[in-house]
Structure formats: C-alpha cells, structure tokens
C-alpha cells in the first residue's frame, strides 16, 4: 500500500503538529516526533558562489530557502572583544598574508578555500596571555545585546529552540588552539602543563561569569561546545591528557549550566572521534556532530555502540553529493531510516558542502531527506 505522507497522517488522526522547539526537545530525548529537525551547516563560500551561477538566488537566506527549522543563538557574545584590527602584510596574485580579526598571522589562498598556513598566534607565553585575556572580559557591556530586555521578552514564550555557544569558541582544547596554535599547544602540554591548566581554568571561569546574568533571564535549550581535537587517525591528545587537563573545567562548566536548568549539551569535533566519544559522554555531553565519514566515522556503528546515550547529528557523506543522484539516494536510504527508527537523530551532511557539489544535487539531496523523514 502506498505510504501516507506523515503530515497528512497526523492531521487525519487529529494529532497536533509539533512546534520547532518541541520537535527539537523530543528528538534530543529520543522521543517520538512528526519528523526530525531540519538543519545543515552553511556551505563553503566558494560553494555558494558556484550555486549562484547555477540558480541559487543571490540574496537567499540559506536556512529559509531550504526550509530548515529555526534555531537561534541567544545573542550573548562569547568571543574576543574587541577583535583585532585586520592588517595585510603582503599580497600576490594568488595569496594574501594578513593578521586577521583573531590576531592570527595567516597566509590564505585567493579564490579557494585551501588549508591556510599559520605564521603566528596572539598568545605565545604568559605575558601575551595576560594581554590577550583583556579581550575576554566577561563583564564587557558589549557582550549582551543593547536591548537585552527586549531580547529576553522575545525569548520568553518562544516556540523555537535557542542555543548558547557558536563558531570556534566555547570549549577547552579547541579555543586554546585558536589562541596559541596547534603545535604550540600540544608542546605546552609537556613543556608547561601548569600554564595549559591555567588557561583552561581561566576559560571555565570566563564562561561561568559571562553566562550567569544570561541564565537569570534565558535558559538556552542547548549549549554548543567546539573542540576539533581529532584528525583522520584519531584524537590529537591522549585520553589520559583529556582526563588530566580538560575533565575538571568541563565538569565545572556543565554543572553550572545544569544547575540553571539547561537540558542539552552538543559538541562539534571533526575527525575520527571514536576514542573521545566515551569521554565526552562520561562528562555529560548529550549530542555530537558532524561524524566525518572520510575520517572513518559510521553513525550506524556509533548508534549500535552508544545507544540512547548520545544524540547524533550529521554522518551523511558529503562526497556522495558530488557524484550522481543514485549515489545520493543510496547514501540517504542507507543511513537515515535505521537512525530515524531509533530516534535521537538529526540528519545532516558530515560537514559543510564543498564546491564540487552542484546546486541541483544539493537540492535533490534535501528533497530526498524530506521525503524519507516525512514518510513512514
């Protein structure tokens, strides 16, 4: 018998369609929903440029155009304030070397999103760290919206979820890597472990002090953490170092949010996170993304191993979208139905869409995701 469209079925049965906030919360609790939240990371800038040439409207809002669910940041700024003044050091026809808004001296390729080359970072020692943290003053009045009372009133009776934490900020290994640089950070674990711990403890204090006023008025539905502490072969630091340096500050921050009623905690970590997942779950993370397939991640195995202890977002191989429609169909049909059946799943690509993906293929992929999610 032909499948009945799930929305139509809900209406015929007199079941109320969920709000975006209800749908998100039920998904995060492995509850029954009319469909999972619809979401994707925005594409690479080069991808968006290609899509504009292939029919994607120039002024389109990515989330609205593709029908993604509303999911907003609370609006409290957790990054450096003020940012650094950007300064171009040298420039050629193909490359540019500059100090960016983060204070990082970096070489970038013009016209393509290749891996940047880093020359220097704003934090090199304790002295530069003391100067840098002046930009992480939790009591800076600019951290909260100018009309915070109006934002609070807007969010009081919201029917969509809101989150705190975005970009490359809230976390411990991830943000420190942005301040110090990867090589400098991993060496510091051995050469100056006391300083590494001081930086992590400082950042835990910063997050707690920054968000205490927020939590008196607004309880986010989710707090997002950024780590990116793994690569194709596994974690960038040992589980032992994770426990020694990161566990205590993480638990302090998580306990702070839990005490105010925040229900969910999501973590963004690229690469192969197999050996990190148990550590994240143990300290209280409830969801992870994006589960990069090219790094060896298979969300079916993750679900089998961790069951209802972890909500999964991502895990659909973005590389398949550059191939054929049949490859897209095979990926969607192989991955989404078994994960949806078990719940606690938000189907998205395993990272941002790169520029080898045609606009028509991305549209076909999203239409197919909707069809699979809304029938059953």
């Amino acid at each position: 018998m032909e499948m009945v469209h799930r929305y139509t079925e809900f209406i015929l049965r007199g079941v109320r369609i969920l709000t975006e906030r209800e749908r998100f919360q039920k998904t995060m609790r492995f509850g029954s929903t009319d469909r999972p939240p619809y979401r994707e990371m925005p594409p690479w800038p080069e991808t968006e440029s290609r899509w504009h040439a292939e029919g994607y409207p120039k002024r389109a809002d990515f989330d609205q155009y593709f029908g993604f669910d509303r999911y907003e940041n609370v609006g409290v700024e957790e990054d450096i304030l003020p940012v650094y003044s950007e300064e171009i050091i040298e420039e050629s026809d193909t490359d540019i070397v500059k100090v960016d808004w983060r204070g990082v001296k970096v070489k970038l390729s013009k016209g393509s999103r290749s891996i940047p080359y880093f020359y220097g970072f704003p934090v090199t020692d304790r002295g530069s760290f003391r100067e840098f943290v002046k930009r992480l003053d939790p009591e800076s009045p600019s951290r909260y919206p100018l009309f915070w009372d109006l934002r609070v009133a807007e969010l009081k009776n919201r029917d969509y979820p809101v989150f705190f934490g975005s970009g490359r900020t809230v976390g411990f290994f991830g943000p420190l890597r942005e301040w110090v640089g990867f090589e400098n950070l991993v060496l510091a674990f051995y050469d100056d472990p006391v300083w590494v711990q001081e930086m992590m403890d400082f950042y835990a204090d910063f997050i707690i002090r920054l968000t205490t006023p927020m939590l008196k008025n607004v309880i986010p539905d989710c707090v997002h953490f950024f780590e990116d502490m793994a690569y194709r072969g596994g974690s960038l630091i040992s589980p032992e170092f994770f426990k020694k340096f990161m566990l205590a500050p993480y638990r302090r921050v998580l306990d702070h949010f839990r005490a105010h009623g925040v229900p969910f905690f999501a973590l963004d970590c690229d690469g192969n996170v197999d050996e990190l997942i148990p550590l994240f779950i143990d300290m209280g993370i409830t969801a992870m993304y994006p589960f990069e397939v090219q790094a060896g991640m298979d969300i079916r195995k993750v679900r089998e191993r961790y069951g209802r202890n972890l909500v999964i977002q991502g895990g659909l191989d973005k590389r398949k979208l550059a191939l054929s429609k049949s490859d897209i169909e095979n990926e969607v049909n192989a991955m989404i139905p078994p994960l949806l059946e078990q719940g606690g799943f938000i189907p998205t690509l395993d990272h941002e869409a790169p520029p080898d993906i045609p606009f028509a293929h991305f549209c076909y992929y999203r239409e197919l995701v909707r069809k699979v999610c809304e029938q059953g």
Side-chain angles (χ1 to χ4, degrees):
M1 188 174 78
E2 184 177 353
M3 258 180 222
V4 179
H5 191 284
R6 184 164 291 186
Y7 279 159
T8 306
E9 180 184 2
F10 268 51
I11 292 170
L12 291 174
R13 287 164 45 198
V15 178
R16 180 175 61 86
I17 300 299
L18 301 173
T19 67
E20 290 165 315
R21 190 180 185 194
E22 290 171 331
R23 184 179 297 118
F24 172 79
Q25 292 185 346
K26 283 180 174 287
T27 297
M28 297 295 280
R29 293 189 173 99
F30 286 80
S32 177
T33 63
D34 51 346
R35 61 166 175 82
Y38 289 152
R39 194 177 302 157
E40 286 287 352
M41 292 183 181
W44 291 19
E46 294 87 351
T47 310
E48 196 168 31
S49 296
R50 171 183 176 163
W51 289 358
H52 288 321
E54 296 174 352
Y56 181 46
K58 186 71 175 178
R59 295 180 178 85
D61 177 273
F62 180 69
D63 288 349
Q64 292 180 2
Y65 185 87
F66 288 103
F68 298 136
D69 286 7
R70 189 175 181 182
Y71 189 50
E72 291 189 3
N73 194 312
V74 172
V76 175
E77 180 57 65
E78 74 275 11
D79 216 327
I80 58 171
L81 282 177
V83 300
Y84 289 84
S85 297
E86 294 205 2
E87 178 186 359
I88 296 177
I89 307 299
E90 57 183 85
E91 187 173 5
S92 69
D93 292 339
T94 57
D95 302 301
I96 184 170
V97 178
K98 68 176 183 178
V99 176
D100 67 16
W101 64 271
R102 301 168 301 165
V104 177
K105 186 177 180 182
V106 60
K107 181 179 181 180
L108 300 168
S109 176
K110 291 182 176 179
S112 67
R113 192 176 174 181
S114 59
I115 296 175
Y117 182 84
F118 298 103
Y119 288 94
F121 293 84
V123 176
T124 57
D125 53 25
R126 281 182 169 82
S128 57
F129 179 65
R130 285 193 293 270
E131 287 300 309
F132 177 79
V133 299
K134 292 177 182 178
R135 299 173 187 266
L136 288 171
D137 178 1
E139 297 178 1
S140 170
S142 299
R143 294 198 173 276
Y144 280 70
L146 182 60
F147 300 106
W148 175 239
D149 57 335
L150 297 181
R151 180 60 170 162
V152 170
E154 176 188 359
L155 296 179
K156 185 175 181 181
N157 297 309
R158 66 188 183 272
D159 60 2
Y160 56 92
V162 297
F163 64 93
F164 170 77
S166 60
R168 308 175 74 82
T169 50
V170 184
F172 292 96
F173 184 95
L176 265 65
R177 193 182 72 173
E178 300 291 304
W179 307 345
V180 177
F182 169 68
E183 291 182 10
N184 296 330
L185 178 58
V186 293
L187 289 173
F189 277 103
Y190 293 93
D191 297 338
D192 200 344
V194 174
W195 181 44
V196 172
Q197 196 66 70
E198 286 174 357
M199 289 191 287
M200 291 189 180
D201 290 341
F202 162 83
Y203 201 59
D205 291 338
F206 167 77
I207 293 299
I208 291 169
R209 291 176 59 195
L210 171 67
T211 58
T212 294
M214 175 191 78
L215 295 168
K216 293 177 181 177
N217 297 289
V218 178
I219 306 301
D221 297 279
C222 188
V223 172
H224 283 257
F225 295 91
F226 162 76
E227 289 303 352
D228 274 10
M229 53 184 297
Y231 71 117
R232 191 184 188 108
S235 174
L236 293 171
I237 65 171
S238 68
E240 290 72 22
F241 272 23
F242 180 99
K243 295 173 185 176
K244 179 179 179 180
F245 292 93
M246 297 176 62
L247 199 55
Y250 247 118
R251 283 184 168 158
R252 274 208 299 135
V253 169
L254 289 167
D255 287 347
H256 160 72
F257 284 118
R258 282 197 208 93
H260 287 85
V262 177
F264 308 116
F265 304 98
L267 188 141
D268 172 4
C269 189
D270 296 349
N272 188 310
V273 292
D274 275 336
E275 65 180 346
L276 293 173
I277 293 176
L279 300 171
F280 290 136
I281 292 175
D282 180 61
M283 71 185 187
I285 294 298
T286 54
M288 286 185 65
Y289 58 97
F291 296 101
E292 289 187 286
V293 179
Q294 62 192 19
M297 300 307 301
D298 185 330
I299 54 176
R300 294 168 297 187
K301 294 180 180 178
V302 173
R303 172 62 72 235
E304 181 180 349
R305 189 171 304 155
Y306 299 105
R308 297 166 68 92
N309 291 317
L310 187 70
V311 172
I312 292 171
Q313 177 180 325
L316 300 177
D317 192 349
K318 59 186 175 296
R319 298 172 298 178
K320 299 297 178 65
L321 273 64
L323 303 178
S324 67
K325 289 186 175 180
S326 62
D327 288 298
I328 299 171
E329 292 168 5
N330 291 338
E331 180 69 9
V332 167
N333 291 327
M335 306 304 289
I336 294 182
L339 271 294
L340 274 186
E341 184 178 353
Q342 298 169 70
F345 177 52
I346 300 174
T348 72
L349 296 180
D350 61 347
H351 216 285
E352 302 162 340
D356 61 347
I357 296 176
F359 176 59
H361 281 201
F362 188 83
C363 292
Y364 183 74
Y365 152 72
R366 284 309 314 178
E367 290 169 357
L368 190 58
V369 170
R370 180 183 291 271
K371 179 180 178 182
V372 170
C373 289
E374 295 180 11
Q375 292 180 343

